[in-house]
Amino acid sequence: MVEKISKNFFLYLSKNKVLNKGAKKWGLKLGASQVVAGTTIHQVIKVVKGLNQKGLVCTVDHLGEFVMNPAEATEATDICVQTLEAIAVSGVNCNLSVKLTQLGLDIDRSLCVNNMLKILEVAKKTNNFVRIDMEDYSHYEQTLEILAELRQSYPNVGTVIQAYFYRAQDDLKNLKGVPLRLVKGAYKESGEVAYQNKEEIDENYLTIIKQHLLTGSYTAIASHDHVIIEKVKQFCKENNIPKTQFEFQMLYGFRADVQEEIVSQGYTMRVYVPFGKDWYGYFMRRLAERPQNVSFALRGLFSKK
């Protein structure tokens, strides 16, 4: 009960526009610097280099919330383009993750699509891959529609499917061959569209992982759950699924020891590395996911480092 209240509280805070605006002025305080790799492209590339040296590959995400005018969407697009160019120049092993709302989806669909096309063209020229992060259910259908439109010309784009949605298995049937990141889900969703029980979510998560792998599609398993990870390893061994067909993913700042252990076993481990001034919403969702993250943040706040 306490855990559920805590989760709902931080998810509520994540959508508070006043606090989000204030957070930009605070800087990376409240422990956020432990899970957000700085505010600039230069800072995030430096972090990625360090992770690459440990055998970890990465994907970077320029954070952004509540983009409600075209100028902000254009600025976000420009930063994504500059990030891809910086990745190419630095030679780091790293992809790019983006959110469609940050690129103008809530303003105008065509604006968002045009911004994605600019990003994907640069990604194509620099031989890179772009992942569209899945957001809440209100953007779900539009995201899948835009993905299908983009993939007609750009095979270097994929998205995310969240296991807590009832429709996840059905959607996967239409996404055969698409590189997907599979996750449990991090937003607060209605019982009308999503499982509310952890056991049901975990069961569906394993189901969709196996479903996508068995189609021969490249699959990113994004989870910090060691039980899930071990079950995936065993399933792949039993079904002769090569390690080149899948990867594990974890968030920057979490379970670094486990990340390196997985690499030592010959698996690909990709670290999701967020950066930018608009870190507040992302950080609140991380606190909502696990009560342990709250004490983690407080340690960072009061640390002398």
Side-chain angles (χ1 to χ4, degrees):
M1 177 62 72
V2 174
E3 180 176 342
K4 185 174 182 180
I5 293 173
S6 173
K7 179 176 181 178
N8 290 340
F9 174 68
F10 284 108
L11 287 175
Y12 169 77
L13 291 181
S14 73
K15 297 181 179 181
N16 189 296
K17 296 182 180 182
V18 175
L19 291 176
N20 183 74
K21 184 176 180 180
K24 294 180 182 179
K25 298 178 181 179
W26 303 333
L28 291 174
K29 297 179 181 178
L30 302 177
S33 61
Q34 297 183 79
V35 298
V36 178
T39 57
T40 68
I41 294 174
H42 173 75
Q43 289 171 331
V44 75
I45 292 295
K46 183 178 179 180
V47 167
V48 169
K49 283 182 178 179
L51 292 168
N52 282 176
Q53 289 171 1
K54 296 178 180 179
L56 302 159
V57 297
C58 299
T59 184
V60 295
D61 172 29
H62 176 244
L63 298 170
E65 307 266 342
F66 310 119
V67 173
M68 296 307 295
N69 70 68
E72 290 177 329
T74 298
E75 180 184 6
T77 302
D78 290 343
I79 293 175
C80 287
V81 166
Q82 292 164 20
T83 301
L84 283 168
E85 292 171 341
I87 289 170
V89 170
S90 65
V92 293
N93 191 333
C94 186
N95 297 157
L96 178 71
S97 293
V98 300
K99 285 185 172 59
L100 294 184
T101 56
Q102 190 184 18
L103 304 179
L105 183 58
D106 288 337
I107 304 167
D108 179 75
R109 187 184 188 279
S110 61
L111 169 68
C112 175
V113 172
N114 287 336
N115 285 336
M116 270 301 302
L117 290 172
K118 292 176 185 176
I119 292 169
L120 288 174
E121 187 59 30
V122 175
K124 180 181 178 180
K125 290 178 180 178
T126 57
N127 193 32
N128 213 330
F129 176 81
V130 178
R131 177 92 59 193
I132 299 173
D133 285 343
M134 189 62 76
E135 301 178 69
D136 61 15
Y137 195 73
S138 65
H139 299 98
Y140 190 100
E141 195 64 44
Q142 283 181 296
T143 299
L144 292 182
E145 290 173 356
I146 290 173
L147 173 71
E149 181 179 337
L150 295 171
R151 281 188 59 83
Q152 292 178 18
S153 302
Y154 296 93
N156 61 325
V157 61
T159 191
V160 181
I161 293 295
Q162 298 154 305
Y164 59 11
F165 286 133
Y166 302 137
R167 58 181 288 181
Q169 293 183 42
D170 288 335
D171 287 327
L172 277 188
K173 296 175 183 177
N174 299 319
L175 294 167
K176 179 180 177 180
V178 179
L180 296 176
R181 175 194 297 144
L182 303 181
V183 302
K184 293 184 183 181
Y187 294 86
K188 180 176 173 55
E189 299 290 357
S190 165
E192 295 181 2
V193 298
Y195 295 108
Q196 305 295 305
N197 180 274
K198 181 183 182 302
E199 287 71 26
E200 290 179 313
I201 295 171
D202 285 356
E203 181 180 355
N204 202 44
Y205 188 37
L206 276 170
T207 297
I208 65 171
I209 290 170
K210 295 174 183 178
Q211 179 182 345
H212 203 54
L213 283 169
L214 289 175
T215 65
S217 305
Y218 192 82
T219 307
I221 300 97
S223 176
H224 298 103
D225 187 333
H226 65 279
V227 175
I228 294 287
I229 292 170
E230 291 306 315
K231 288 183 177 180
V232 170
K233 290 178 184 176
Q234 188 61 37
F235 176 80
C236 290
K237 289 178 182 177
E238 292 172 352
N239 290 273
N240 298 314
I241 296 171
K243 291 180 180 179
T244 53
Q245 192 194 315
F246 65 97
E247 65 184 48
F248 294 105
Q249 296 189 357
M250 289 188 181
L251 300 172
Y252 172 67
F254 294 94
R255 309 205 73 177
D257 55 336
V258 178
Q259 294 176 15
E260 293 179 36
E261 180 184 353
I262 289 174
V263 169
S264 71
Q265 297 170 350
Y267 296 97
T268 300
M269 168 57 71
R270 190 175 302 277
V271 183
Y272 184 97
V273 187
F275 77 102
K277 297 179 181 179
D278 206 353
W279 53 268
Y280 173 78
Y282 172 85
F283 184 52
M284 287 298 110
R285 286 191 292 276
R286 298 294 76 78
L287 295 183
E289 285 174 348
R290 300 174 71 221
Q292 299 95 312
N293 292 350
V294 178
S295 59
F296 172 78
L298 291 174
R299 287 199 302 272
L301 177 62
F302 294 109
S303 171
K304 294 181 180 179
K305 294 182 179 179

